[in-house]
């Protein structure tokens, strides 16, 4: 989900990226990973507010999604 969000963001589909990040956050909550959910939701909120994700935020998103998969 986070990879799809990243791809959507690169193609200019901000709304699609937000949706995918929120979906990934819900998945993280279901898996009991509140830390990952927080990171993902915060990034979705940043995008929704019209701001860009920093490189650091993108990196945290990738780490959060990898943590989920383990």
């Amino acid at each position: 989900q986070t990879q799809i969000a990243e791809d959507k963001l690169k193609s200019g589909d901000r709304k699609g990226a937000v949706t995918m990040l929120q979906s990934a956050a819900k998945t993280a909550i279901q898996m009991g990973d509140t830390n990952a959910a927080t990171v993902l939701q915060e990034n979705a909120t940043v995008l929704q507010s019209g701001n860009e994700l920093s490189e650091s935020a993108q990196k945290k998103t990738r780490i959060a999604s990898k943590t989920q998969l383990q």
Side-chain angles (χ1 to χ4, degrees), residues 4-36:
I4 294 169
E6 201 170 324
D7 292 342
K8 286 186 178 294
L9 198 54
K10 285 179 185 173
S11 70
D13 183 4
R14 180 182 294 266
K15 189 174 180 180
V18 167
T19 301
M20 292 310 300
L21 286 172
Q22 289 173 331
S23 178
K26 287 177 188 171
T27 301
I29 289 170
Q30 290 170 347
M31 296 174 71
D33 190 345
T34 55
N35 291 332

Side-chain angles (χ1 to χ4, degrees), residues 40-57:
L40 296 166
Q41 186 56 53
E42 284 174 354
N43 288 344
T45 302
V46 168
L47 291 174
Q48 274 184 317
S49 67
N51 295 311
E52 298 296 322
L53 288 180
S54 66
E55 188 60 40
S56 171

